[in-house]
Amino acid sequence: MSESPDARSLLSASSQLNLMEMDAIDDKEFDIPQVDTPPTLESILNELEDEEEPFVLEDTCMLNTDNMDAHSCDTSSLASSDSGDPAHLKRKRRTVDLNATVHGSVLRHSLLKGISAQIVSAADKVDAGLPTAITVSGVIAVGTSHGLALVFDTNQALRLCLGTKATGAEFGAVSALSVNHDCSRLLCGFAKGQITMWDLASGKLLRTITDAHPPGTAILHVKFTDDPTLAVCNDSGGSVFELAFRRVMGMRSCDSRCLFSGSKGEVCCIEPLRAPPDFRDHPITQYSLLAMASLTKILVIGLKPSLKVWMTFPYSKSDPASVPQLAWQFVPVQKMVNPILAFCKGDTVHFLLVKKEETGTIHVIKQKQLHLSCDIISLSWINSSTLVLVDSHEKLQVVDRPSQEVLETLDLEQVQLVYNSRHFKSLATGGNVSQALALVGEKACYQSVSSYAGQIVYLGTKSAHIMALRNWRERIDCLLKQEHFVEALSLAWSFHEGTAKAVVGLFGDPLKRKGVVGDKMVEILFQFAEHALKKCPDQGKIQVMEQHFHDVVPVLVDYCLLLKRADLIFNQLYAQLVENMVAKGVFLESLESYIVADRLGHLTSPIMRDLLAHYHGNGMMDSLERCIVHLDVTSLDIQQVVQVCWANQLYDAMIYVFNSGMNDYITPMEKLFAVIGPQLRAGRSLKDEEVVMGNKLLVYISCCLAGRAYPLGDIPEDLVVQVKYQVFEFLIRLHSADSLEEEEEEVFPFIRTLLHFDTREFLNVLAMTFEDFKNDKQALEYQQRIVDILLQVMVDNPDFTPSQVGGLFTFLARQLAKPDNTLFVNRKLFDQVLEFLCCPDDDSRHTERQQVLLELLQVGGVVQFNEGRLLALAEKAKFYQICEFLYEKKHLYDRIIDCYLRDPLRKGEIFSYIHNLLSMPGYSPEEKQTVRDKVLQHIKELVTLDPSKSADLVMFHFVKEVQQIISELQADQLLFQFLSCLLEPREGHHSGTILPQERDLHELLLDLLCRFGPNQLLSFLQTSQHYRLEEAIEITQKYNRNEATAYLLEKKGDVHGAFTVLLETLKEKLSLLTAESDRGADGGEGRQYEEERDSESKLTEVKDSLNDIIVLCHRNSDSLYQQHREALWFPLLETMMASQKLVKGLNDEHTFEVLKELTMKVLNCMSTFISLPAIIQRILKDPVYGKGKLAEIQGLILGMLDTFNYEQTLLETTTSLLNHDLHWSLAHLRAAVTRGLHPRQDYCNICLQQYKRRQDSAEEIIVFSCGHLYHHQCLQQKDSGWGFTSELQQRWSCYKCSSSQGGRGGPSTEPKRGRSTSLAQTRVTSVSHDAGAEAHRKKVFVDATLDLQQEQSWDQLRCLYRGPSRLSILSELSHCHSSDKTGLLFPAQPGTDHFQLKLSPPPLLEE
């Protein structure tokens, strides 16, 4: 019995936490019982007979058939349903992602067939009604809607049917059930408020309690505590009562006391802390703790020894329809077991750890909360680290608390969960519950879910279902049945490593646990391999077969290596896979990544043989080489490997085999020299692969000399020195081994070859090696010998370039400059090199030779040379950088400037050099002065080179010498460039520098601008502040720069002068245009296109010129009188009309139309400043039109009339809108003020007494628009006044609406804020003359002032609009009109900055 997994499905509470094993168990994961505990009675509940098909969620099956095990009806976890990684598929590789979480199917979901059948049968045969409540303990009890309670044993057999239909008719439906811990008593709560207690042994009714709580409310919960004489109940009024059962002299009684009143906030969920059998003696149980959830907060109270509140905790904001949930669980935390209360309302689960301190108080510690994206309607613990939740969509989620991970999601839709909404709305007693409680009741299913000892029962309308955690083997087997081998292995590995969640059935020593899981994994690996071979596609594309095995083989190898069972790979698995050629190939190829990562260092001989053959056969030589250099050399057949490497140029592998297998470091060098030596000697250029070889050779020599193994690792310590000497001996050989046939071979072939291949890198290798030679006499001898050979080979050898020779001497200079140098080099050789570099036969490689010599000097070679001779040679050879280096040493800084100026490559750097030298400390004043003199001497050259940088230099260092510099620069164009840069506005450090005679400089620049840069003229005048107006006007007039002259005249205040200048310009351009039109009329076809283009450009010029004048007129019209305005606008209009007339005589339609358009534009702009009648009068007086016909000005006049019509319509519309708004708002105000007030109650909302409480005294009553009514004195005491307008008159606000004291605070009061102050606050005085005569009561209106309230209403009214009201827009407009500074409201044309809308005030309409 204990062996079958089903027998373990219902575990006793005592086995859920085994304190004896606490040390050996990981707190987080393995607080799980032993498997071999004898099954309890209830564990039989879930037993399935073999032929029985358990309840299947059809919906889930349809959705997810791949993940469904037909026999055990388990839905697999969502996490496991798709673990394919598309990125891996592209690479055709499937490797194991150890971070991927696979949980498999965590819950076993079964239908309780016996109980479900009895529920349906009872409803049909004895009219028991539908099920309404369920509870599970040692027995299962189900309550029905007709007042019956059906009690089942653990075999699902019906043992008792308690109650009758008569009691059902009297008491209503069973709304709550509870069984005590020894299963001897059952409490039933009913929809009409009664509670009954039954003896479960005999089936007798022991008590009927009818007076435990207020009548007319349904029982929502009834729960036993750990004390069998104590229970608690919660009714639909939101109150909680303690029920104490007594038996005196054979008489059973029940005492009830109220623990929490519903008037303080309704409680809708209660949960006493009930300890499992193992924890009955836990110190916390003596307090008999009870958790209660109201609509706003959680309370934890102790019932014993006396009633005490230990904690209250408000909810965070949540949906008012969310259902509060509570669940207790004993959890091991830091070697102690304490209860944790999980509670939620909405989507966040909070956890509170409850501890008893040594002082006797209870300490509550908040734990990490859990956020989910769903509205939770049921919350249960299934073990100490796992929760099971149901959301409002009836989706069940299994959540691991430590990691907050959702392990599995199931759909409960088919269960058809029973909801307790009827009882929450108390429909059986007339529905007398608050709206808030009724709203929560919509989703309440407290009585349909019951958890006990690691399993949870859910009650449906026609069935009961049980959920329990599967044990670890069952979870793996579920995945194997669905042929999800990779997921099964991943899950098994998480069991092996102890990272899996909700584990059942693994316990004890971690090593034993790993052993058990490891055996299971080996079993799965063989199954997987067998399955892969069986399912392999027989025919079809080879790629498909390869892909099939690529998904399998790497996974097998990976897990074998993770389990440290390489023997499995080489023996059993390889033997299985060899049968299929494709599988064998994939297997051998997949080994590469493990070998390269050093996870697999040794291969068996047969596999090594196959590997060589396969890689060689498929041309995968690079992969083969990578593998060989990582493998243990003892597993290689050296002869075979060397042959393959030679044949395929696998030199890395060959070097590795020679070095590791035979301790031979020289032979590989000889072989590599044999490849590249002959090519270099013959002077041929190397192929790419030969260059790679040469680099390989250099790296290999460098590794050998440094004591490193090639390509990776280190040479054994005992061989390091020996190998180094062997390599030196090899390099300084006079002749190579095969030189006997080739008589003419030069001496020292190996060093010569390396120098020819890459001089610099070879010398770098030597330099690195020489670093290590300190006290090794033998090594120092080799060092001197090699240097002598290098000099012998390279000096006076035309085969080497200056760069190579220079490189050698730079290397030598570095060595000689070291403090502990022992090398000897002849000084004459350095002089020889100097001659070689400075006086070549040809002029080639100038830069290269200079660079080499500079490098030689910088590393200390200057010690070896005579400086005077060196300087003479450098100047002769034009090595300016060398000269600079030497001048720098002698502090001849002015000579360095000559070097820069003469060096074409570095001319541009001279400015930063001069600036740095003059700015930095560390140079003497005399040195700086020589540099300044030199700069002034060459200033013309510098300005020609870069005017901008020269100007910067002058601003920083030569401000006083500006006049001298200007006199040096004779050429006007050069002076113009220099001054432009010098006088441009600057930001930062030198923005405030004042130049001597600054005004003269600016005027000089203005003169130059007029000649060389007319386009920049206007922007210069606008930004510069340093010129004198009169002089500037003279200069611009001298060069006929009219726009600039106009700008200056306007700035001076001569608007008419500016206008005249611009008008002249316009007239010139118009005359050119008309002349052009005239010529166009006469000209032939040939020039037509060119003329059209010319005409367009002239039109554009006219438009620009006209725009400038219009902008000028606009700018100044506001500040001028009418007469002066007309003096501006009319000449402009006349000019345009005259030109229009001229063009009309010629046949140029296009130009005529454009001019007509421009004339209309002038008219439109004028009409803002000059009245329309004046314009028309002027046009008619005009001699041009006076003689002609009206038709010619018809267009102009019609245009003006259109504008007039538009403005008239605009004015009328605005006026009517304004009147409408005003009427509407006043009508609303009047309606609000004259509305009568209707008090909601006839008592004061503060003292709760009738407003006519004392009939002998006159008393003032205040009524608010929200309907609340108060005594004047009560309001005064509560201080609800808000400001005084006079001594007699105080403004009041409604106490109840505006303060959270008056009612329940929170968001519900927000919407009423707007109504809290009365619109027409009416103060009523009731005057009583006769004690009994109510008929004579009069209401005297004392006062009704409206100013402040009118204002409030007005604000509310304005808020109705999106954005500003029409009234505010119009008042803004009128402000614009009245103020002098008019803002830009509607830009009509570019440049019409001050356009205004003319409005008259609305007419007064009399009713």
Side-chain angles (χ1 to χ4, degrees):
M1 182 81 149
S2 63
E3 290 309 307
S4 81
D6 294 328
R8 301 186 217 106
S9 62
L10 275 158
L11 300 156
S12 71
S14 61
S15 64
Q16 265 210 298
L17 282 163
N18 197 334
L19 279 174
M20 301 301 290
E21 291 185 351
M22 188 73 81
D23 291 348
I25 288 176
D26 177 352
D27 275 352
K28 280 189 196 167
E29 305 298 342
F30 298 105
D31 45 2
I32 306 292
Q34 290 198 14
V35 180
D36 51 3
T37 45
T40 53
L41 260 178
E42 62 269 15
S43 69
I44 304 160
L45 259 177
N46 197 29
E47 267 197 351
L48 296 173
E49 280 150 46
D50 286 344
E51 68 277 4
E52 253 183 23
E53 274 272 295
F55 176 72
V56 174
L57 291 174
E58 281 126 81
D59 203 24
T60 319
C61 283
M62 286 192 296
L63 285 172
N64 204 352
T65 48
D66 296 347
N67 291 343
M68 179 59 62
D69 168 2
H71 177 66
S72 66
C73 74
D74 297 302
T75 53
S76 82
S77 85
L78 298 182
S80 71
S81 62
D82 175 24
S83 54
D85 174 0
H88 284 193
L89 291 176
K90 281 179 205 161
R91 290 205 304 269
K92 291 176 66 180
R93 284 284 311 214
R94 183 159 189 176
T95 52
V96 174
D97 179 6
L98 294 178
N99 298 324
T101 47
V102 173
H103 302 297
S105 176
V106 179
L107 275 189
R108 186 192 309 106
H109 171 187
S110 313
L111 170 68
L112 297 174
K113 288 193 173 178
I115 294 176
S116 304
Q118 294 279 13
I119 290 172
V120 174
S121 170
D124 291 347
K125 293 177 183 169
V126 296
D127 192 21
L130 292 172
T132 53
I134 194 165
T135 186
V136 184
S137 189
V139 297
I140 292 184
V142 178
T144 73
S145 58
H146 290 175
L148 302 182
L150 311 173
V151 182
F152 300 88
D153 66 11
T154 49
N155 293 323
Q156 303 187 41
L158 181 62
R159 288 284 171 252
L160 297 166
C161 178
L162 306 174
T164 63
K165 279 164 56 180
T167 55
E170 186 184 345
F171 294 171
V174 174
S175 57
L177 291 168
S178 180
V179 178
N180 64 356
H181 64 72
D182 62 356
C183 297
S184 60
R185 298 282 184 272
L186 172 70
L187 277 175
C188 298
F190 289 91
K192 293 187 180 174
Q194 296 81 353
I195 299 172
T196 58
M197 180 191 273
W198 300 85
D199 183 340
L200 287 178
S202 63
K204 283 185 181 173
L205 176 65
L206 302 179
R207 290 181 175 82
T208 300
I209 306 159
T210 55
D211 54 355
H213 66 103
T217 54
I219 295 291
L220 300 183
H221 302 274
V222 60
K223 308 253 175 159
F224 273 110
T225 64
D226 276 340
D227 179 352
T229 66
L230 204 61
V232 284
C233 73
N234 170 210
D235 64 17
S236 60
S239 301
V240 181
F241 295 87
E242 176 190 77
L243 308 174
F245 304 118
R246 304 271 178 272
R247 189 173 180 189
V248 183
M249 307 275 295
M251 288 293 290
R252 297 178 195 275
S253 66
C254 172
D255 299 336
S256 159
R257 72 165 167 169
C258 181
L259 302 177
F260 188 89
S261 164
S263 62
K264 296 176 185 172
E266 293 120 321
V267 168
C268 52
C269 178
I270 57 170
E271 199 62 58
L273 173 61
R274 293 180 66 176
D278 286 5
F279 298 111
R280 292 278 151 78
D281 302 329
H282 194 286
I284 203 97
T285 54
Q286 70 196 55
Y287 292 100
S288 194
L289 292 182
L290 170 69
M292 305 189 289
S294 79
L295 297 177
T296 53
K297 60 179 177 284
I298 298 285
L299 294 95
V300 176
I301 64 173
L303 303 179
K304 295 178 180 177
S306 61
L307 189 63
K308 181 162 184 184
V309 177
W310 287 109
M311 186 219 67
T312 60
F313 189 96
Y315 300 125
S316 48
K317 277 189 176 178
S318 65
D319 180 358
S322 299
V323 189
Q325 297 290 332
L326 298 167
W328 288 100
Q329 174 73 21
F330 279 84
V331 175
V333 180
Q334 298 168 347
K335 306 296 178 195
M336 288 284 293
V337 176
N338 279 306
I340 280 187
L341 174 66
F343 70 86
C344 68
K345 183 175 190 295
D347 59 357
T348 305
V349 185
H350 299 267
F351 298 95
L352 299 174
L353 175 69
V354 182
K355 288 167 78 171
K356 182 189 177 215
E357 300 293 344
E358 288 171 11
T359 55
T361 59
I362 285 179
H363 192 43
V364 180
I365 305 160
K366 195 173 176 203
Q367 308 283 299
K368 186 179 176 186
Q369 59 195 40
L370 167 70
H371 286 285
L372 295 159
S373 53
C374 58
D375 185 15
I376 301 165
I377 61 167
S378 167
L379 171 71
S380 319
W381 294 84
I382 201 161
N383 70 17
S384 59
S385 65
T386 315
L387 292 143
V388 178
L389 316 164
V390 180
D391 67 20
S392 52
H393 299 297
E394 296 195 5
K395 294 274 189 297
L396 180 142
Q397 300 186 26
V398 186
V399 182
D400 178 62
R401 184 176 86 88
S403 69
Q404 303 208 341
E405 204 175 336
V406 177
L407 308 182
E408 183 173 17
T409 305
L410 297 172
D411 196 339
L412 290 188
E413 202 177 323
Q414 298 294 319
V415 172
Q416 294 184 327
L417 208 57
V418 170
Y419 288 90
N420 317 132
S421 313
R422 291 180 67 81
H423 314 315
F424 270 79
K425 295 176 182 175
S426 200
L427 298 180
T429 60
N432 51 343
V433 295
S434 73
Q435 281 183 328
L437 196 66
L439 186 61
V440 167
E442 293 289 348
K443 291 189 272 190
C445 57
Y446 296 110
Q447 304 304 327
S448 318
V449 184
S450 179
S451 64
Y452 177 72
Q455 63 229 337
I456 306 172
V457 176
Y458 291 91
L459 179 65
T461 49
K462 293 182 179 175
S463 54
H465 302 257
I466 191 158
M467 305 283 178
L469 290 174
R470 300 175 182 279
N471 79 7
W472 70 276
R473 283 181 187 276
E474 204 181 328
R475 281 168 68 180
I476 294 173
D477 290 341
C478 270
L479 290 167
L480 291 177
K481 279 179 188 169
Q482 298 166 49
E483 298 186 350
H484 291 167
F485 290 96
V486 179
E487 287 83 352
L489 284 165
S490 178
L491 181 60
W493 181 250
S494 67
F495 290 137
H496 184 276
E497 292 302 289
T499 58
K501 312 286 187 289
V503 185
V504 178
L506 277 176
F507 56 92
D509 177 25
L511 282 173
K512 283 184 190 169
R513 182 184 69 206
K514 285 189 172 189
V516 172
V517 178
D519 293 344
K520 178 72 177 172
M521 286 182 75
V522 171
E523 195 184 304
I524 299 170
L525 288 170
F526 286 132
Q527 280 182 23
F528 191 15
E530 199 177 318
H531 174 265
L533 288 165
K534 201 184 290 177
K535 293 278 180 179
C536 175
D538 293 334
Q539 59 258 19
K541 288 187 178 176
I542 193 84
Q543 290 93 331
V544 177
M545 293 172 76
E546 277 183 2
Q547 184 59 50
H548 172 73
F549 285 111
H550 270 301
D551 288 344
V552 176
V553 174
V555 177
L556 297 174
V557 177
D558 237 330
Y559 280 111
C560 287
L561 292 175
L562 284 171
L563 291 167
K564 299 188 172 61
R565 295 289 305 271
D567 58 304
L568 286 177
I569 304 175
F570 300 140
N571 303 334
Q572 294 95 314
L573 280 177
Y574 188 56
Q576 261 183 296
L577 295 170
V578 164
E579 299 163 17
N580 184 309
M581 281 311 290
V582 179
K584 178 182 173 184
V586 170
F587 173 80
L588 292 171
E589 284 169 30
S590 69
L591 291 181
E592 181 194 345
S593 57
Y594 303 103
I595 294 170
V596 171
D598 291 325
R599 289 180 64 188
L600 198 57
H602 187 88
L603 299 183
T604 58
S605 297
I607 290 188
M608 191 62 219
R609 236 187 348 267
D610 289 351
L611 186 87
L612 268 175
H614 178 79
Y615 280 48
H616 191 228
N618 289 330
M620 298 165 63
M621 303 321 295
D622 289 347
S623 298
L624 179 60
E625 185 168 36
R626 276 197 293 276
C627 290
I628 290 173
V629 300
H630 282 84
L631 281 170
D632 180 5
V633 89
T634 56
S635 67
L636 302 175
D637 176 344
I638 289 179
Q639 189 179 356
Q640 185 191 5
V641 171
V642 170
Q643 278 173 355
V644 171
C645 292
W646 274 129
N648 297 283
Q649 287 106 32
L650 306 183
Y651 296 106
D652 280 3
M654 186 259 300
I655 291 171
Y656 173 75
V657 172
F658 269 104
N659 291 358
S660 306
M662 300 182 257
N663 284 344
D664 179 356
Y665 290 84
I666 300 303
T667 310
M669 276 192 219
E670 290 177 336
K671 303 283 185 190
L672 290 170
F673 270 115
V675 176
I676 63 166
Q679 299 286 347
L680 286 167
R681 277 201 295 280
R684 288 194 289 272
S685 60
L686 297 179
K687 297 178 196 152
D688 287 351
E689 56 267 27
E690 288 167 343
V691 173
V692 171
M693 299 268 305
N695 287 328
K696 212 181 277 278
L697 179 57
L698 277 173
V699 175
Y700 178 47
I701 291 172
S702 144
C703 284
C704 290
L705 293 176
R708 313 265 313 158
Y710 182 86
L712 39 105
D714 290 303
I715 296 173
E717 276 186 34
D718 52 333
L719 293 176
V720 171
V721 178
Q722 182 192 332
V723 168
K724 191 186 291 186
Y725 292 161
Q726 279 179 3
V727 172
F728 277 132
E729 280 296 340
F730 171 73
L731 287 177
I732 62 179
R733 280 187 197 170
L734 206 57
H735 289 288
S736 58
D738 51 356
S739 65
L740 297 174
E741 302 98 51
E742 299 176 27
E743 293 300 325
E744 69 282 0
E745 185 189 60
E746 295 181 78
V747 291
F748 309 117
F750 299 127
I751 285 183
R752 206 177 280 273
T753 302
L754 288 168
L755 286 170
H756 275 298
F757 176 70
D758 191 333
T759 311
R760 192 173 291 269
E761 282 309 317
F762 177 49
L763 293 173
N764 282 347
V765 168
L766 292 177
M768 283 192 316
T769 312
F770 290 175
E771 291 288 331
D772 303 335
F773 297 171
K774 291 285 178 284
N775 306 315
D776 185 344
K777 193 178 172 196
Q778 174 73 44
L780 290 170
E781 284 175 14
Y782 279 124
Q783 182 180 354
Q784 183 67 52
R785 178 85 181 103
I786 281 183
V787 168
D788 292 343
I789 292 171
L790 288 171
L791 289 167
Q792 184 184 337
V793 169
M794 286 185 81
V795 176
D796 288 338
N797 187 340
D799 292 349
F800 292 101
T801 63
S803 182
Q804 289 173 314
V805 177
L808 170 64
F809 279 91
T810 305
F811 160 74
L812 291 176
R814 279 204 184 101
Q815 298 302 322
L816 294 172
K818 285 182 188 168
D820 53 358
N821 170 50
T822 56
L823 277 179
F824 170 74
V825 179
N826 191 340
R827 275 287 297 271
K828 282 183 183 170
L829 284 170
F830 276 93
D831 289 343
Q832 208 175 330
V833 168
L834 183 61
E835 289 286 340
F836 169 68
L837 290 174
C838 289
C839 309
D841 303 331
D842 60 346
D843 209 22
S844 62
R845 296 183 169 171
H846 180 275
T847 314
E848 183 188 327
R849 284 184 284 116
Q850 176 172 240
Q851 207 54 44
V852 167
L853 188 52
L854 189 64
E855 208 174 303
L856 182 55
L857 294 177
Q858 282 167 344
V859 297
V862 76
V863 186
Q864 319 291 339
F865 298 126
N866 174 342
E867 279 189 24
R869 181 160 177 270
L870 178 58
L871 187 57
L873 283 170
E875 284 186 337
K876 184 181 167 191
K878 297 183 182 173
F879 286 175
Y880 297 115
Q881 280 171 276
I882 307 295
C883 298
E884 183 190 344
F885 179 81
L886 295 168
Y887 288 142
E888 185 87 43
K889 288 188 71 174
K890 295 180 179 179
H891 303 295
L892 298 172
Y893 300 111
D894 54 329
R895 305 283 293 276
I896 293 176
I897 291 176
D898 289 329
C899 291
Y900 272 104
L901 283 170
R902 285 154 62 192
D903 189 347
L905 294 175
R906 297 192 308 147
K907 254 185 183 177
E909 295 167 30
I910 188 167
F911 298 102
S912 50
Y913 176 76
I914 297 168
H915 174 64
N916 291 341
L917 193 136
L918 293 176
S919 306
M920 287 179 180
Y923 299 101
S924 70
E926 293 80 20
E927 286 164 357
K928 289 188 178 180
Q929 189 55 47
T930 58
V931 171
R932 292 173 70 86
D933 295 344
K934 177 67 79 173
V935 171
L936 290 171
Q937 193 182 328
H938 289 289
I939 192 71
K940 191 170 178 182
E941 217 171 319
L942 290 173
V943 172
T944 312
L945 187 63
D946 189 330
S948 174
K949 287 183 178 173
S950 305
D952 287 344
L953 204 58
V954 170
M955 281 303 279
F956 274 93
H957 304 290
F958 298 95
V959 173
K960 291 175 185 169
E961 290 86 353
V962 168
Q963 290 302 327
Q964 183 190 338
I965 290 167
I966 287 173
S967 60
E968 287 277 329
L969 303 171
Q970 285 100 4
D972 286 348
Q973 185 71 42
L974 197 61
L975 185 59
F976 165 58
Q977 290 173 349
F978 174 68
L979 279 178
S980 297
C981 298
L982 188 68
L983 301 180
E984 70 182 2
R986 289 162 197 275
E987 289 177 8
H989 182 57
H990 283 271
S991 56
T993 307
I994 296 172
L995 292 162
Q997 298 179 334
E998 192 150 12
R999 288 175 182 277
D1000 296 345
L1001 289 179
H1002 276 79
E1003 283 155 20
L1004 175 58
L1005 177 57
L1006 184 59
D1007 192 296
L1008 291 166
L1009 274 167
C1010 287
R1011 289 157 61 194
F1012 300 115
N1015 295 339
Q1016 304 155 36
L1017 191 56
L1018 213 56
S1019 63
F1020 171 74
L1021 290 172
Q1022 285 163 352
T1023 51
S1024 172
Q1025 303 296 322
H1026 299 286
Y1027 53 83
R1028 289 165 292 199
L1029 265 178
E1030 292 299 333
E1031 279 77 353
I1033 291 170
E1034 277 177 30
I1035 293 169
T1036 53
Q1037 283 175 343
K1038 176 176 152 191
Y1039 292 106
N1040 288 329
R1041 300 293 176 207
N1042 289 353
E1043 280 181 31
T1045 311
Y1047 170 78
L1048 292 167
L1049 286 169
E1050 188 186 356
K1051 191 171 178 182
K1052 184 180 165 187
D1054 183 359
V1055 178
H1056 282 279
F1059 175 75
T1060 312
V1061 170
L1062 287 177
L1063 193 62
E1064 279 304 311
T1065 314
L1066 178 64
K1067 282 178 179 171
E1068 280 172 28
K1069 290 180 179 172
L1070 283 170
S1071 64
L1072 282 172
L1073 183 66
T1074 48
E1076 181 71 36
S1077 302
D1078 198 8
R1079 275 208 309 281
D1082 305 339
E1085 292 285 315
R1087 293 190 322 212
Q1088 195 174 352
Y1089 171 69
E1090 199 178 316
E1091 282 164 4
E1092 272 179 25
R1093 209 173 49 194
D1094 214 20
S1095 160
E1096 278 301 318
S1097 69
K1098 291 212 167 34
L1099 271 176
T1100 311
E1101 283 177 22
V1102 169
K1103 282 180 188 171
D1104 293 344
S1105 188
L1106 182 64
N1107 273 343
D1108 289 344
I1109 301 182
I1110 290 175
V1111 170
L1112 175 79
C1113 295
H1114 253 291
R1115 256 200 315 267
N1116 297 290
S1117 285
D1118 277 332
S1119 56
L1120 295 175
Y1121 293 115
Q1122 184 69 26
Q1123 184 185 350
H1124 293 131
R1125 285 183 195 174
E1126 289 179 3
L1128 287 185
W1129 287 104
F1130 282 131
L1132 178 60
L1133 181 63
E1134 282 159 12
T1135 305
M1136 290 309 295
M1137 285 164 67
S1139 64
Q1140 196 180 332
K1141 185 91 171 157
L1142 272 172
V1143 173
K1144 193 176 183 188
L1146 313 162
N1147 294 325
D1148 191 343
E1149 282 299 317
H1150 175 63
T1151 310
F1152 178 70
E1153 284 301 319
V1154 172
L1155 288 175
K1156 192 173 168 185
E1157 206 176 291
L1158 292 175
T1159 312
M1160 277 310 294
K1161 182 176 173 179
V1162 173
L1163 268 174
N1164 283 335
C1165 295
M1166 281 173 75
S1167 60
T1168 313
F1169 301 103
I1170 294 169
S1171 62
L1172 289 180
I1175 297 173
I1176 290 179
Q1177 196 176 357
R1178 186 61 176 255
I1179 290 172
L1180 292 174
K1181 276 184 187 173
D1182 189 290
V1184 175
Y1185 293 114
K1187 297 169 191 167
K1189 296 170 189 170
L1190 197 62
E1192 294 177 359
I1193 57 165
Q1194 188 181 356
L1196 290 179
I1197 291 174
L1198 285 176
M1200 287 157 70
L1201 287 172
D1202 280 347
T1203 309
F1204 170 74
N1205 286 336
Y1206 163 69
E1207 288 189 357
Q1208 187 182 21
T1209 310
L1210 191 64
L1211 186 62
E1212 284 169 3
T1213 310
T1214 310
T1215 311
S1216 84
L1217 286 175
L1218 187 67
N1219 292 340
H1220 178 271
D1221 270 11
L1222 203 58
H1223 172 75
W1224 182 78
S1225 53
L1226 288 172
H1228 269 258
L1229 267 178
R1230 185 169 173 277
V1233 169
T1234 55
R1235 195 182 68 218
L1237 297 182
H1238 171 62
R1240 292 184 187 176
Q1241 309 92 353
D1242 58 352
Y1243 55 82
C1244 166
N1245 271 284
I1246 293 175
C1247 65
L1248 302 177
Q1249 294 187 24
Q1250 293 281 333
Y1251 63 79
K1252 49 183 187 292
R1253 59 182 171 184
R1254 290 194 297 278
Q1255 292 169 347
D1256 54 341
S1257 66
E1259 188 143 34
E1260 289 186 338
I1261 309 293
I1262 295 181
V1263 185
F1264 288 92
S1265 60
C1266 52
H1268 295 126
L1269 174 148
Y1270 302 94
H1271 292 115
H1272 182 216
Q1273 286 175 341
C1274 297
L1275 267 185
Q1276 270 182 326
Q1277 285 163 8
K1278 287 293 181 186
D1279 195 21
S1280 269
W1282 49 279
F1284 293 85
T1285 52
S1286 69
E1287 287 178 23
L1288 297 170
Q1289 197 178 329
Q1290 186 177 11
R1291 299 281 160 250
W1292 297 103
S1293 62
C1294 175
Y1295 173 71
K1296 190 160 187 176
C1297 297
S1298 64
S1299 90
S1300 56
Q1301 306 156 328
R1304 197 177 297 135
S1308 60
T1309 62
E1310 282 301 317
K1312 295 181 188 170
R1313 285 282 159 89
R1315 300 175 54 203
S1316 64
T1317 53
S1318 153
L1319 232 171
Q1321 282 181 345
T1322 311
R1323 192 183 293 181
V1324 183
T1325 308
S1326 67
V1327 188
S1328 296
H1329 299 291
D1330 198 340
E1334 270 204 42
H1336 295 294
R1337 296 184 82 259
K1338 293 187 288 186
K1339 287 187 180 175
V1340 182
F1341 285 78
V1342 180
D1343 57 12
T1345 42
L1346 303 173
D1347 305 344
L1348 201 59
Q1349 283 70 27
Q1350 277 184 345
E1351 216 167 291
Q1352 280 186 337
S1353 294
W1354 180 242
D1355 284 343
Q1356 282 183 352
L1357 188 139
R1358 282 187 56 184
C1359 291
L1360 296 175
Y1361 288 111
R1362 298 271 181 265
S1365 71
R1366 295 183 289 209
L1367 197 62
S1368 70
I1369 290 175
L1370 293 172
S1371 57
E1372 219 173 281
L1373 278 171
S1374 63
H1375 283 312
C1376 284
H1377 183 51
S1378 61
S1379 68
D1380 289 339
K1381 294 182 180 177
T1382 52
L1384 175 65
L1385 193 64
F1386 302 115
Q1389 273 108 18
T1392 54
D1393 293 354
H1394 303 292
F1395 168 71
Q1396 281 184 333
L1397 188 63
K1398 298 287 198 302
L1399 292 173
S1400 62
L1404 296 170
L1405 300 174
E1406 290 184 11
E1407 288 183 358

